[in-house]
Amino acid sequence: MVRSHSCRARALGLATLFMAILPTLAWGDERTPRQVAEELVAAYAQDIPDLKYTSTVALIGRLAYGRETSDSQHAKGVRAILLPYLDGSKPVNSEKLSASDLAGHLVFAALYGSLSDDPKLQDSARRLILAAADRACDAQGQPRPNIHSQMSDATFMACPLLSIAGALSGDSKYFQQALRYAQLVKKLDLRDDGLYRHSPKCEAAWGRGNAFPLLGLVHTLHVYPDKEPGRDELAKMFQDHAAALLKHQDADGAWHQVIDHPESYAELTCTCMIASSYLKAIEDGLLARDKYAPAVRQAWQAALTRIGPQGNLRDVCEGTGSQTSLQAYFDRKALSGRDRRGGSMALMFAVGMMHFPEQK
């Protein structure tokens, strides 16, 4: 079932009606982050159709859930799912990776540490990561147009993987390539008010178009060395953007489909991604806990009203390329039911909340 800004899309269908009559508790604020994460792992992290980020972020969430619960079966389960790629029986064509495929390879970095008992598989994971990272830039080390497409998404699609490749290889070139991607996206898409347009095609500050650069930068900084040139610049980019977004969180804790247009619908994925970024930045010392922790708690309450039982979700913006008008972003459909992208981002947030001090 879908919903959009347009009046014609507001009619309730059977799926929406079904979810509307579910017990309030199922969509309410009584569930713990662990309970929510457990259901999302069952719904979204048992297999993958491909290596795109929309599939693999759920596996990254499952690995994190396994660490939080001290349950090694989750790492074993993810290893089994990825084994065809690791042992070469399902080859990856690194020459034809899309931006989404590039970000999808982050799952091999998440699994890397748990492969220490099998050096051959661990080396395979390392090679897959580096091969993907090598497709992000051209021979001169410049961002590839087919990866960034002038969209703000590129900060997530390329920068974290490049930073991880730098850490694994010890080669500074990857860190500098991550910096160039972030600088390019800033040049193309950062508005004067500190929000990101999705692309130069129009000024609209799409929800995920802002969540992607925030999430991408915090994960890039997590492994970017303190003494590597550009770290302070990246940290300031992140902190300035985090502050700009904080001004637009609504009273219920959500961020909207178009960040600075509260008349657009409150959207689940950008809410989970922005709040997850705040969580990680608080833990890494990039953001002040006293300023940002209340926003995280409010966002969790907003997310809970949109995450239902058995992985059913509400208000997940459909897949969205760069649009040419504000109205086009208003009209992007809000999906209800199961959605891999939405489930992945909700799982990431739920696991993060499991070790948030106020939740223990």
Side-chain angles (χ1 to χ4, degrees), residues 73-101:
Q73 293 305 308
H74 290 290
K76 292 176 181 177
V78 172
R79 181 192 294 210
I81 292 168
L82 294 176
L83 186 60
Y85 297 103
L86 292 167
D87 68 12
S89 59
K90 195 169 186 178
V92 176
N93 186 348
S94 62
E95 296 297 312
K96 294 186 177 181
L97 294 181
S98 68
S100 184
D101 294 319

mmCIF file of all heavy atoms in Angstrom, residues 73-101:
data_model
loop_
_atom_site.group_PDB
_atom_site.id
_atom_site.type_symbol
_atom_site.label_atom_id
_atom_site.label_comp_id
_atom_site.label_asym_id
_atom_site.label_seq_id
_atom_site.Cartn_x
_atom_site.Cartn_y
_atom_site.Cartn_z
ATOM 1 N N GLN A 73 25.592 -17.221 16.604
ATOM 2 C CA GLN A 73 24.845 -17.849 15.505
ATOM 3 C C GLN A 73 24.515 -16.842 14.410
ATOM 4 O O GLN A 73 24.352 -17.222 13.247
ATOM 5 C CB GLN A 73 23.566 -18.493 16.042
ATOM 6 C CG GLN A 73 23.808 -19.691 16.954
ATOM 7 C CD GLN A 73 24.669 -20.754 16.290
ATOM 8 O OE1 GLN A 73 24.396 -21.199 15.177
ATOM 9 N NE2 GLN A 73 25.725 -21.162 16.983
ATOM 10 N N HIS A 74 24.404 -15.578 14.773
ATOM 11 C CA HIS A 74 24.080 -14.576 13.749
ATOM 12 C C HIS A 74 25.252 -14.370 12.797
ATOM 13 O O HIS A 74 25.057 -14.282 11.582
ATOM 14 C CB HIS A 74 23.656 -13.267 14.412
ATOM 15 C CG HIS A 74 22.320 -13.373 15.082
ATOM 16 N ND1 HIS A 74 21.139 -13.492 14.378
ATOM 17 C CD2 HIS A 74 21.987 -13.416 16.399
ATOM 18 C CE1 HIS A 74 20.125 -13.582 15.230
ATOM 19 N NE2 HIS A 74 20.610 -13.547 16.449
ATOM 20 N N ALA A 75 26.465 -14.314 13.315
ATOM 21 C CA ALA A 75 27.629 -14.202 12.443
ATOM 22 C C ALA A 75 27.748 -15.437 11.551
ATOM 23 O O ALA A 75 28.079 -15.328 10.361
ATOM 24 C CB ALA A 75 28.897 -14.015 13.270
ATOM 25 N N LYS A 76 27.457 -16.603 12.111
ATOM 26 C CA LYS A 76 27.499 -17.830 11.308
ATOM 27 C C LYS A 76 26.440 -17.801 10.222
ATOM 28 O O LYS A 76 26.675 -18.240 9.087
ATOM 29 C CB LYS A 76 27.309 -19.055 12.210
ATOM 30 C CG LYS A 76 28.476 -19.305 13.161
ATOM 31 C CD LYS A 76 28.184 -20.482 14.086
ATOM 32 C CE LYS A 76 29.343 -20.706 15.054
ATOM 33 N NZ LYS A 76 29.056 -21.804 16.024
ATOM 34 N N GLY A 77 25.272 -17.282 10.556
ATOM 35 C CA GLY A 77 24.197 -17.201 9.573
ATOM 36 C C GLY A 77 24.536 -16.255 8.439
ATOM 37 O O GLY A 77 24.291 -16.560 7.259
ATOM 38 N N VAL A 78 25.106 -15.098 8.765
ATOM 39 C CA VAL A 78 25.485 -14.143 7.726
ATOM 40 C C VAL A 78 26.620 -14.711 6.876
ATOM 41 O O VAL A 78 26.632 -14.556 5.650
ATOM 42 C CB VAL A 78 25.884 -12.797 8.353
ATOM 43 C CG1 VAL A 78 26.458 -11.853 7.297
ATOM 44 C CG2 VAL A 78 24.671 -12.148 9.028
ATOM 45 N N ARG A 79 27.557 -15.408 7.512
ATOM 46 C CA ARG A 79 28.635 -16.035 6.746
ATOM 47 C C ARG A 79 28.064 -17.020 5.725
ATOM 48 O O ARG A 79 28.502 -17.042 4.565
ATOM 49 C CB ARG A 79 29.601 -16.765 7.677
ATOM 50 C CG ARG A 79 30.766 -17.427 6.933
ATOM 51 C CD ARG A 79 31.558 -18.394 7.790
ATOM 52 N NE ARG A 79 32.272 -17.744 8.876
ATOM 53 C CZ ARG A 79 33.418 -18.179 9.384
ATOM 54 N NH1 ARG A 79 33.995 -19.269 8.891
ATOM 55 N NH2 ARG A 79 33.995 -17.554 10.392
ATOM 56 N N ALA A 80 27.105 -17.802 6.140
ATOM 57 C CA ALA A 80 26.504 -18.779 5.229
ATOM 58 C C ALA A 80 25.820 -18.091 4.056
ATOM 59 O O ALA A 80 25.889 -18.563 2.908
ATOM 60 C CB ALA A 80 25.510 -19.652 5.991
ATOM 61 N N ILE A 81 25.151 -16.973 4.313
ATOM 62 C CA ILE A 81 24.465 -16.238 3.246
ATOM 63 C C ILE A 81 25.470 -15.684 2.241
ATOM 64 O O ILE A 81 25.241 -15.693 1.027
ATOM 65 C CB ILE A 81 23.615 -15.104 3.855
ATOM 66 C CG1 ILE A 81 22.454 -15.690 4.662
ATOM 67 C CG2 ILE A 81 23.074 -14.177 2.763
ATOM 68 C CD1 ILE A 81 21.735 -14.676 5.531
ATOM 69 N N LEU A 82 26.613 -15.200 2.744
ATOM 70 C CA LEU A 82 27.605 -14.559 1.887
ATOM 71 C C LEU A 82 28.627 -15.532 1.311
ATOM 72 O O LEU A 82 29.434 -15.145 0.456
ATOM 73 C CB LEU A 82 28.341 -13.476 2.674
ATOM 74 C CG LEU A 82 27.494 -12.277 3.118
ATOM 75 C CD1 LEU A 82 28.336 -11.338 3.977
ATOM 76 C CD2 LEU A 82 26.930 -11.526 1.916
ATOM 77 N N LEU A 83 28.600 -16.782 1.769
ATOM 78 C CA LEU A 83 29.623 -17.747 1.347
ATOM 79 C C LEU A 83 29.753 -17.874 -0.174
ATOM 80 O O LEU A 83 30.878 -17.946 -0.675
ATOM 81 C CB LEU A 83 29.348 -19.115 1.969
ATOM 82 C CG LEU A 83 30.426 -20.172 1.731
ATOM 83 C CD1 LEU A 83 31.776 -19.717 2.303
ATOM 84 C CD2 LEU A 83 30.006 -21.510 2.346
ATOM 85 N N PRO A 84 28.657 -17.882 -0.951
ATOM 86 C CA PRO A 84 28.836 -17.999 -2.408
ATOM 87 C C PRO A 84 29.687 -16.872 -3.005
ATOM 88 O O PRO A 84 30.384 -17.094 -3.998
ATOM 89 C CB PRO A 84 27.396 -17.952 -2.936
ATOM 90 C CG PRO A 84 26.564 -18.452 -1.798
ATOM 91 C CD PRO A 84 27.239 -17.927 -0.568
ATOM 92 N N TYR A 85 29.621 -15.685 -2.412
ATOM 93 C CA TYR A 85 30.471 -14.592 -2.884
ATOM 94 C C TYR A 85 31.902 -14.750 -2.371
ATOM 95 O O TYR A 85 32.870 -14.469 -3.082
ATOM 96 C CB TYR A 85 29.911 -13.250 -2.410
ATOM 97 C CG TYR A 85 28.548 -12.935 -2.956
ATOM 98 C CD1 TYR A 85 27.407 -13.088 -2.166
ATOM 99 C CD2 TYR A 85 28.387 -12.485 -4.263
ATOM 100 C CE1 TYR A 85 26.149 -12.803 -2.658
ATOM 101 C CE2 TYR A 85 27.123 -12.193 -4.770
ATOM 102 C CZ TYR A 85 26.014 -12.354 -3.963
ATOM 103 O OH TYR A 85 24.761 -12.074 -4.461
ATOM 104 N N LEU A 86 32.039 -15.234 -1.152
ATOM 105 C CA LEU A 86 33.360 -15.370 -0.551
ATOM 106 C C LEU A 86 34.168 -16.503 -1.168
ATOM 107 O O LEU A 86 35.397 -16.401 -1.302
ATOM 108 C CB LEU A 86 33.227 -15.595 0.960
ATOM 109 C CG LEU A 86 32.698 -14.413 1.771
ATOM 110 C CD1 LEU A 86 32.325 -14.856 3.178
ATOM 111 C CD2 LEU A 86 33.735 -13.291 1.827
ATOM 112 N N ASP A 87 33.491 -17.595 -1.532
ATOM 113 C CA ASP A 87 34.239 -18.727 -2.108
ATOM 114 C C ASP A 87 34.299 -18.672 -3.631
ATOM 115 O O ASP A 87 34.871 -19.552 -4.264
ATOM 116 C CB ASP A 87 33.672 -20.065 -1.619
ATOM 117 C CG ASP A 87 32.271 -20.378 -2.147
ATOM 118 O OD1 ASP A 87 31.779 -19.693 -3.075
ATOM 119 O OD2 ASP A 87 31.643 -21.323 -1.618
ATOM 120 N N GLY A 88 33.703 -17.641 -4.220
ATOM 121 C CA GLY A 88 33.793 -17.455 -5.664
ATOM 122 C C GLY A 88 32.767 -18.204 -6.479
ATOM 123 O O GLY A 88 32.752 -18.087 -7.708
ATOM 124 N N SER A 89 31.890 -18.976 -5.844
ATOM 125 C CA SER A 89 30.891 -19.715 -6.615
ATOM 126 C C SER A 89 29.821 -18.787 -7.195
ATOM 127 O O SER A 89 29.107 -19.163 -8.128
ATOM 128 C CB SER A 89 30.236 -20.801 -5.748
ATOM 129 O OG SER A 89 29.603 -20.245 -4.612
ATOM 130 N N LYS A 90 29.714 -17.564 -6.650
ATOM 131 C CA LYS A 90 28.822 -16.547 -7.200
ATOM 132 C C LYS A 90 29.674 -15.307 -7.464
ATOM 133 O O LYS A 90 29.781 -14.428 -6.626
ATOM 134 C CB LYS A 90 27.678 -16.238 -6.231
ATOM 135 C CG LYS A 90 26.529 -15.477 -6.856
ATOM 136 C CD LYS A 90 25.332 -15.443 -5.899
ATOM 137 C CE LYS A 90 24.135 -14.803 -6.574
ATOM 138 N NZ LYS A 90 22.950 -14.805 -5.678
ATOM 139 N N PRO A 91 30.278 -15.222 -8.623
ATOM 140 C CA PRO A 91 31.251 -14.155 -8.891
ATOM 141 C C PRO A 91 30.618 -12.762 -8.855
ATOM 142 O O PRO A 91 29.449 -12.580 -9.188
ATOM 143 C CB PRO A 91 31.768 -14.484 -10.298
ATOM 144 C CG PRO A 91 31.420 -15.910 -10.519
ATOM 145 C CD PRO A 91 30.151 -16.156 -9.752
ATOM 146 N N VAL A 92 31.427 -11.796 -8.445
ATOM 147 C CA VAL A 92 31.026 -10.393 -8.469
ATOM 148 C C VAL A 92 31.764 -9.710 -9.613
ATOM 149 O O VAL A 92 32.992 -9.777 -9.692
ATOM 150 C CB VAL A 92 31.397 -9.693 -7.141
ATOM 151 C CG1 VAL A 92 31.053 -8.206 -7.209
ATOM 152 C CG2 VAL A 92 30.691 -10.357 -5.977
ATOM 153 N N ASN A 93 31.019 -9.095 -10.514
ATOM 154 C CA ASN A 93 31.645 -8.390 -11.627
ATOM 155 C C ASN A 93 31.974 -6.970 -11.181
ATOM 156 O O ASN A 93 31.143 -6.063 -11.252
ATOM 157 C CB ASN A 93 30.698 -8.358 -12.833
ATOM 158 C CG ASN A 93 31.359 -7.753 -14.072
ATOM 159 O OD1 ASN A 93 32.430 -7.161 -13.982
ATOM 160 N ND2 ASN A 93 30.719 -7.914 -15.212
ATOM 161 N N SER A 94 33.188 -6.774 -10.692
ATOM 162 C CA SER A 94 33.566 -5.477 -10.130
ATOM 163 C C SER A 94 33.613 -4.378 -11.185
ATOM 164 O O SER A 94 33.599 -3.192 -10.850
ATOM 165 C CB SER A 94 34.919 -5.581 -9.422
ATOM 166 O OG SER A 94 35.932 -5.950 -10.334
ATOM 167 N N GLU A 95 33.663 -4.761 -12.459
ATOM 168 C CA GLU A 95 33.694 -3.752 -13.523
ATOM 169 C C GLU A 95 32.340 -3.091 -13.741
ATOM 170 O O GLU A 95 32.262 -2.028 -14.349
ATOM 171 C CB GLU A 95 34.156 -4.400 -14.838
ATOM 172 C CG GLU A 95 35.576 -4.931 -14.805
ATOM 173 C CD GLU A 95 36.590 -3.824 -14.587
ATOM 174 O OE1 GLU A 95 36.511 -2.790 -15.274
ATOM 175 O OE2 GLU A 95 37.458 -3.996 -13.711
ATOM 176 N N LYS A 96 31.276 -3.694 -13.251
ATOM 177 C CA LYS A 96 29.935 -3.170 -13.519
ATOM 178 C C LYS A 96 29.172 -2.816 -12.246
ATOM 179 O O LYS A 96 27.947 -2.832 -12.225
ATOM 180 C CB LYS A 96 29.130 -4.185 -14.333
ATOM 181 C CG LYS A 96 29.675 -4.402 -15.743
ATOM 182 C CD LYS A 96 28.760 -5.306 -16.555
ATOM 183 C CE LYS A 96 29.286 -5.449 -17.986
ATOM 184 N NZ LYS A 96 28.389 -6.314 -18.821
ATOM 185 N N LEU A 97 29.897 -2.473 -11.199
ATOM 186 C CA LEU A 97 29.235 -2.146 -9.949
ATOM 187 C C LEU A 97 28.524 -0.799 -10.049
ATOM 188 O O LEU A 97 29.086 0.181 -10.534
ATOM 189 C CB LEU A 97 30.252 -2.090 -8.809
ATOM 190 C CG LEU A 97 30.941 -3.400 -8.421
ATOM 191 C CD1 LEU A 97 31.900 -3.145 -7.264
ATOM 192 C CD2 LEU A 97 29.929 -4.454 -8.031
ATOM 193 N N SER A 98 27.287 -0.756 -9.566
ATOM 194 C CA SER A 98 26.567 0.501 -9.433
ATOM 195 C C SER A 98 26.917 1.133 -8.093
ATOM 196 O O SER A 98 27.595 0.518 -7.249
ATOM 197 C CB SER A 98 25.063 0.252 -9.499
ATOM 198 O OG SER A 98 24.644 -0.472 -8.345
ATOM 199 N N ALA A 99 26.438 2.344 -7.855
ATOM 200 C CA ALA A 99 26.661 2.986 -6.556
ATOM 201 C C ALA A 99 26.053 2.146 -5.444
ATOM 202 O O ALA A 99 26.648 1.984 -4.372
ATOM 203 C CB ALA A 99 26.055 4.386 -6.570
ATOM 204 N N SER A 100 24.873 1.601 -5.680
ATOM 205 C CA SER A 100 24.203 0.779 -4.675
ATOM 206 C C SER A 100 24.981 -0.510 -4.392
ATOM 207 O O SER A 100 25.065 -0.963 -3.251
ATOM 208 C CB SER A 100 22.780 0.451 -5.130
ATOM 209 O OG SER A 100 22.086 -0.257 -4.145
ATOM 210 N N ASP A 101 25.572 -1.099 -5.438
ATOM 211 C CA ASP A 101 26.415 -2.285 -5.256
ATOM 212 C C ASP A 101 27.663 -1.946 -4.445
ATOM 213 O O ASP A 101 28.108 -2.732 -3.600
ATOM 214 C CB ASP A 101 26.868 -2.842 -6.608
ATOM 215 C CG ASP A 101 25.731 -3.382 -7.440
ATOM 216 O OD1 ASP A 101 24.840 -4.031 -6.874
ATOM 217 O OD2 ASP A 101 25.723 -3.137 -8.663
#
